[in-house]
Amino acid sequence: MLIEVKVQSLGLDRTNNNPVVILREEKGERVLPIWIGPGEASAIAMQLADWSFSRPLTHDLLVSVLSGLGGSLERVIITRVVENTYFAELIIQRNGDVISVDARPSDSIAVALRLDARIFAEEGLLEQATVEVSEDETVPLHLEDHGAQAKQEGKTEDLKEYLKRLNPEDFGRFMP
């Protein structure tokens, strides 16, 4: 089942200063953190801040090519995670045909934001990566714990446990 998500924020993993995009379900409290590269984080941050440039950046170029070829981005789907790597699909409509293009979630999100396209995640990703956190519940967790270490060592079960206890406030703010 697909769950619509929105970009809640961008953060920094305090252990290694890697950017993290935090996706929050549209009609709920669960979040999905996805570690991304600094270039993609900047592209997302610039779009969220409504910054524009005189010349197109890479994601702007992709939007122009897509539009120039008569296509439209129907939606983005974050489909799965394999060995701590997330996968996504751009669902494009062109001349009555629907085309699915494999893409990184970070690039997909940057393009979706530029085109006001909806973003979805497979429900299983939200279930395994996060838990609902009420306003009065605190999660005493620091990224310096074993989460980043588990991620680096590829210990999938440790990472899943770490992500279940994760709270978006545990991340620093990302500034491009």
Side-chain angles (χ1 to χ4, degrees), residues 15-176:
T15 60
N16 55 21
N17 286 331
N18 284 337
V20 182
V21 62
I22 309 294
L23 301 176
R24 183 180 206 96
E25 68 181 323
E26 183 73 18
K27 296 178 181 172
E29 296 297 317
R30 296 178 295 181
V31 295
L32 177 61
I34 301 177
W35 280 258
I36 62 176
E40 294 79 13
S42 291
I44 291 169
M46 287 184 267
Q47 187 63 32
L48 291 173
D50 200 25
W51 293 350
S52 60
F53 294 88
S54 60
R55 301 294 300 145
L57 300 176
T58 305
H59 297 95
D60 302 314
L61 176 63
L62 181 57
V63 166
S64 295
V65 168
L66 179 63
S67 299
L69 293 173
S72 63
L73 181 61
E74 293 299 309
R75 66 188 173 278
V76 164
I77 304 173
I78 313 299
T79 58
R80 66 189 189 283
V81 61
V82 178
E83 296 180 7
N84 302 325
T85 300
Y86 284 86
F87 291 77
E89 295 176 6
L90 296 168
I91 306 300
I92 299 168
Q93 188 167 40
R94 181 175 179 258
N95 297 330
D97 294 327
V98 175
I99 304 160
S100 174
V101 177
D102 179 41
R104 296 183 304 183
S106 54
D107 291 323
S108 301
I109 292 165
V111 172
L113 290 173
R114 283 161 171 74
L115 293 171
D116 293 320
R118 296 168 70 188
I119 303 169
F120 294 87
E122 287 288 345
E123 185 170 27
L125 295 175
L126 289 163
E127 288 175 357
Q128 67 178 287
T130 63
V131 293
E132 295 181 25
V133 178
S134 64
E135 289 183 27
D136 59 338
E137 182 181 356
T138 60
V139 179
L141 172 75
H142 300 286
L143 291 175
E144 294 81 24
D145 290 351
H146 78 310
Q149 179 182 356
K151 179 177 175 256
Q152 291 170 354
E153 294 174 4
K155 296 180 180 175
T156 305
E157 292 305 314
D158 287 347
L159 179 60
K160 284 180 184 178
E161 281 303 310
Y162 167 72
L163 291 174
K164 283 182 182 179
R165 296 187 313 272
L166 190 60
N167 190 2
E169 289 77 30
D170 292 326
F171 294 100
R173 301 291 297 170
F174 175 81
M175 298 296 290

